[in-house]
Amino acid sequence: YSFLNLAKMLIKSRKPSINLTNASHGIKEAPSNAQRARFTLTSQAVQIQKAYRGVVPVLNEFADTLGWPKMPPKKRYRVCDLLAQVPAIHRPYSHIRGRAERLHVIDKAEFRYNHSSRHVWAILWVKESEFGDNKALAEFRSRSYFADHFEQVERDQDHDKCLPFESKPERYGRSAQEALAALGHRCLLCGVMSILTPNGYRYYLTNFPPASRVCQLLASYMAMFYFGSVARYRPADYEKMLNRKFGWAIEEFLATQGHQFVYLIANALLKRELVCPWALRSPELGL
């Protein structure tokens, strides 16, 4: 419910006239979840709810507020596919499932500008070793959600072990601030994810199949809804999950995503990055 209320807050900030008195999560457990003869996390899925007259589906309003396409009713997302899109647990999760990693650490990122032409653009450097092999790199470059806005450019001597990717430019008027905000938002839609660490944000390029891909905030919202639903209505199944193969992933998700979600919501609200000052950092904050 905390995730639900934070999503409502962001929606209301962008759409003050919307009435959220009668609102639903906008998502439910897939009907087959409780019917599995042998319960496993890999068999579980969530499903997009259809809209009802007079009831606001928060998930799709949340998606729309974030600039993400609304998801069609009855579309299903496997819970494991959502967990894979959470940076805090992606790498060990991929290892334990024997899957290729789909988050590639961005070694360095810069916004650049040309004041004469009034354009700003982004350059991202990713170590070539992050992709593992040419097949993985070719698959990544084939993703239209990234390739439509970024292109690989020539290496430079200062980053000879990295592959540079340059974005299309954003034009600005008197101030570049709005263009920078638009460019940052475009990067998120193109698959750039982040995690807040004690040393600031760490960024990743993502390589997920379009059919299962959602933006970072939506993945966390949807996965948290699922675990909340199981804990409330099927506590015996929740205990099974915690005591099986992916119990550590669930615990890590619950331990980290509260604060990560708050900061990502704040970033979306302010259209800029927000970090915790060093003076306020403590073990209780998880930073």
Side-chain angles (χ1 to χ4, degrees):
Y1 285 107
S2 297
F3 277 46
L4 175 69
N5 288 330
L6 285 168
K8 285 182 177 180
M9 180 274 297
L10 185 64
I11 294 167
K12 194 72 175 177
S13 72
R14 300 284 174 81
K15 304 176 181 180
S17 62
I18 194 170
N19 186 349
L20 297 176
T21 302
N22 294 318
S24 68
H25 290 279
I27 185 175
K28 64 179 183 179
E29 285 198 63
S32 60
N33 282 0
Q35 300 170 5
R36 300 287 181 180
R38 181 176 178 273
F39 178 86
T40 60
L41 184 61
T42 53
S43 73
Q44 301 293 284
V46 291
Q47 182 173 306
I48 308 304
Q49 284 182 319
K50 66 179 182 179
Y52 295 94
R53 184 185 298 273
V55 178
V56 177
V58 170
L59 176 61
N60 264 332
E61 286 295 335
F62 189 29
D64 187 59
T65 300
L66 295 170
W68 194 264
K70 289 187 176 182
M71 292 162 277
K74 297 187 177 182
K75 180 175 174 62
R76 295 188 181 188
Y77 291 86
R78 295 170 65 89
V79 174
C80 284
D81 289 339
L82 296 173
L83 289 178
Q85 297 178 68
V86 176
I89 62 175
H90 173 80
R91 181 159 286 180
Y93 171 86
S94 299
H95 178 75
I96 200 170
R97 289 204 72 189
R99 303 287 178 86
E101 291 180 20
R102 294 187 176 275
L103 294 188
H104 310 297
V105 179
I106 296 174
D107 189 62
K108 185 178 179 181
E110 288 183 358
F111 286 137
R112 293 185 176 180
Y113 72 95
N114 183 321
H115 198 56
S116 298
S117 65
R118 294 192 175 275
H119 283 104
V120 294
W121 64 94
I123 300 182
L124 313 175
W125 287 274
V126 181
K127 288 183 178 178
E128 193 167 7
S129 59
E130 280 288 314
F131 295 101
D133 55 38
N134 289 332
K135 182 179 179 180
L137 178 59
E139 182 186 56
F140 168 74
R141 286 192 296 215
S142 72
R143 300 299 188 195
S144 60
Y145 55 80
F146 184 79
D148 286 349
H149 195 69
F150 278 85
E151 65 175 350
Q152 187 176 337
V153 295
E154 292 185 9
R155 304 175 195 248
D156 55 54
Q157 293 182 348
D158 294 333
H159 307 90
D160 61 321
K161 295 183 180 180
C162 293
L163 300 176
F165 298 92
E166 187 172 310
S167 75
K168 292 180 179 178
E170 292 276 349
R171 186 169 176 79
Y172 64 92
R174 181 176 298 179
S175 170
Q177 185 172 344
E178 286 297 319
L180 285 170
L183 184 56
H185 181 65
R186 171 56 57 186
C187 289
L188 297 179
L189 298 182
C190 288
V192 176
M193 286 188 178
S194 63
I195 182 173
L196 182 57
T197 75
N199 297 316
Y201 285 93
R202 180 182 299 137
Y203 303 95
Y204 304 86
L205 289 183
T206 63
N207 177 19
F208 294 106
S212 61
R213 188 176 82 101
V214 293
C215 74
Q216 187 175 354
L217 276 166
L218 295 178
S220 292
Y221 177 96
M222 294 163 74
M224 187 62 80
F225 166 83
Y226 169 78
F227 291 121
S229 176
V230 176
R232 182 174 184 179
Y233 299 111
R234 295 188 286 136
D237 285 342
Y238 185 71
E239 288 297 322
K240 290 178 184 177
M241 285 194 295
L242 291 179
N243 292 318
R244 289 185 178 176
K245 185 176 181 180
F246 297 106
W248 67 270
I250 298 168
E251 291 178 349
E252 187 69 12
F253 175 83
L254 297 175
T256 60
Q257 289 314 290
H259 288 109
Q260 295 291 333
F261 195 79
V262 167
Y263 277 98
L264 290 173
I265 284 282
N267 293 347
L269 181 66
L270 300 174
K271 297 183 179 180
R272 66 186 67 184
E273 286 188 338
L274 181 71
V275 297
C276 182
W278 276 106
L280 298 179
R281 290 178 177 169
S282 68
E284 289 75 18
L285 288 175
L287 297 173

